Amino acid sequence: MSQNFKHIPLAFAHGWNDTRVPITQTLKFIAKMGEFFVPEESNILLVDHSGDHVDELPGFSGLDFMAGFTLNANPADIMVRSDENKDYYWVQFVQKDWNGNTAKGFSNVIASYDAGTRVISATVTDERGFREGNLPVDVAFDLRKLGLDPGVLYTIEDTNLSTGDYELRTGVAPVNGLLWVSLP
């Protein structure tokens, strides 16, 4: 779930002689983040040292590092992997089964918003395999957080990347400021 940390400053302080948690675990986690974004450009700091698990680092404070950052409540792009229904910035998703009941498992949302064109793009994938297919996911975009008008009708273009099926829906009305897209 390392992609979830793109917009969150993290300071890892890890000793090379740590016998409880090998430093390779931290290095693998940072490398995994690198598959999704450049950690150093996304406020990720590694402070490695020659100490052990509980050694203090004179002159280093993770809080000092983080004090230099302000939470971006509405980043233009997000990557989320979750095994529960959740809100992330301006996207929320609800995992369901075929009867409309909550069905937990991992789903992924990669979304971006272009303020100039006022276009939201999203790729949603589901890892909850069920009878040779995936389960439904509902995704909502919080129009107010994006600075879009929740009182107008929207157009949704939906392409199934697996099958190539395309659907154009016009005149879609937001509900309570949220633009909902149901994906089978």
Side-chain angles (χ1 to χ4, degrees):
M1 295 175 50
S2 57
Q3 64 265 41
N4 296 6
F5 294 103
K6 180 175 183 178
H7 300 289
I8 300 170
L10 296 171
F12 296 95
H14 210 129
W16 284 96
N17 293 315
D18 189 335
T19 57
R20 290 187 197 169
V21 179
I23 193 169
T24 54
Q25 185 170 337
T26 296
L27 297 174
K28 286 178 185 178
F29 185 68
I30 293 171
K32 189 67 177 175
M33 283 189 253
E35 293 177 18
F36 303 102
F37 57 91
V38 180
E40 296 79 15
E41 293 176 7
S42 296
N43 313 322
I44 309 300
L45 173 68
L46 171 62
V47 179
D48 58 334
H49 56 89
S50 62
D52 196 351
H53 188 77
V54 295
D55 289 344
E56 292 187 24
L57 298 176
F60 174 75
S61 169
L63 293 178
D64 289 343
F65 166 73
M66 296 201 189
F69 300 100
T70 302
L71 178 64
N72 182 351
N74 294 312
D77 63 315
I78 60 172
M79 290 181 272
V80 177
R81 180 173 189 253
S82 182
D83 62 347
E84 61 185 342
N85 300 336
K86 205 147 203 161
D87 297 354
Y88 288 92
Y89 302 105
W90 42 269
V91 172
Q92 64 178 262
F93 56 98
V94 178
Q95 302 167 317
K96 302 183 304 184
D97 66 14
W98 292 110
N99 297 315
N101 302 312
T102 299
K104 292 185 178 184
F106 283 101
S107 295
N108 305 279
V109 176
I110 299 172
S112 62
Y113 172 64
D114 184 322
T117 61
R118 301 171 57 90
V119 171
I120 302 168
S121 299
T123 301
V124 180
T125 56
D126 184 57
E127 299 174 28
R128 301 169 300 145
F130 178 78
R131 296 186 192 164
E132 301 176 28
N134 294 343
L135 294 170
V137 178
D138 287 345
V139 180
F141 304 97
D142 189 326
L143 300 173
R144 289 184 183 102
K145 286 186 178 179
L146 294 170
L148 295 171
D149 187 349
V152 299
L153 301 178
Y154 286 84
T155 299
I156 297 173
E157 294 182 46
D158 183 6
T159 303
N160 184 321
L161 298 178
S162 298
T163 64
D165 293 340
Y166 173 81
E167 180 182 2
L168 178 68
R169 289 178 256 165
T170 59
V172 179
V175 177
N176 296 326
L178 300 173
L179 184 62
W180 285 93
V181 180
S182 294
L183 304 166

